[in-house]
Amino acid sequence: MANLFLIALLLRFYMQWVRVPFQNPFAQFVIKFTDFAVRPLRRVIPGLFGVDLGTLLLAWVLEILLLLALFGLAGFPFAAAGTAIVPWLLLLAAVKLTSLAVYVLIGLVIVMALLSLVNPFSPLMPVFSALATPLLRPFQRWVPTVANFDLSPLIFLLVCQLVIMLPLTWLERLASAHL
């Protein structure tokens, strides 16, 4: 349940960042699902350059609490570790949140690609297209279409997998080794 809420927070942050129209039922669901937690934070934490920092901070704190709960259930000796683990725990939470965000972006591109093939006139297509187009635009400049088929989602997915496999996995192992 916590990961579902984290995904909704990341979607809300990304939708506000790329200025997706919020009249769609999907966008309305994400807003209503996260509004109870985000609205009080927006009064305290201001946005910066159109970026909703309160939503992102809430997602990061929730990831930290999730990690603390998982470590506690696994029997991690918090008392013996002291405060030396705090920076590594914060780094691990940021890496896990970044990894989840990359997986969310992968899911958005896959859904958009499938909708464009199966039902391009779906009511969800404008939202997923608005979310995926900024991600795919740099790849569409370099990757030509082959037989009227856009290969940029495949290249995007490949790059995302490399980002997850190389720097994020390395950072996760580094932070986990110090815990």
Side-chain angles (χ1 to χ4, degrees):
M1 186 65 176
N3 275 339
L4 180 63
F5 191 68
L6 278 172
I7 291 169
L9 287 172
L10 291 172
L11 278 172
R12 180 181 177 131
F13 172 77
Y14 184 62
M15 285 191 303
Q16 289 175 345
W17 190 21
V18 295
R19 309 264 192 272
V20 171
F22 287 99
Q23 292 81 19
N24 194 289
F26 175 76
Q28 297 249 335
F29 169 75
V30 171
I31 294 299
K32 288 183 181 178
F33 186 61
T34 58
D35 214 23
F36 77 94
V38 172
R39 188 174 297 257
L41 274 179
R42 290 179 107 187
R43 293 184 190 126
V44 179
I45 301 170
L48 182 65
F49 303 116
V51 176
D52 186 14
L53 295 179
T55 303
L56 197 57
L57 181 66
L58 179 63
W60 187 47
V61 168
L62 186 60
E63 184 67 44
I64 292 169
L65 293 175
L66 184 63
L67 283 173
L68 285 173
L70 290 174
F71 284 147
L73 289 173
F76 186 80
F78 289 110
T83 60
I85 66 164
V86 172
W88 298 108
L89 183 68
L90 298 177
L91 175 66
L92 183 60
V95 169
K96 290 223 178 243
L97 190 64
T98 304
S99 180
L100 183 62
V102 171
Y103 280 118
V104 167
L105 296 178
I106 287 172
L108 289 173
V109 168
I110 289 173
V111 169
M112 194 274 311
L114 289 176
L115 275 176
S116 69
L117 289 173
V118 176
N119 188 5
F121 302 109
S122 168
L124 293 176
M125 190 60 184
V127 173
F128 284 105
S129 179
L131 290 170
T133 301
L135 300 169
L136 297 177
R137 194 173 298 127
F139 298 101
Q140 289 170 341
R141 290 183 196 140
W142 297 336
V143 180
T145 57
V146 177
N148 238 1
F149 189 72
D150 185 16
L151 296 177
S152 60
L154 295 175
I155 304 301
F156 174 80
L157 296 176
L158 178 68
V159 168
C160 284
Q161 286 298 318
L162 287 173
V163 165
I164 290 170
M165 287 177 6
L166 298 176
L168 291 178
T169 302
W170 178 78
L171 283 170
E172 186 175 345
R173 286 184 182 163
L174 177 71
S176 296
H178 287 88
L179 289 176

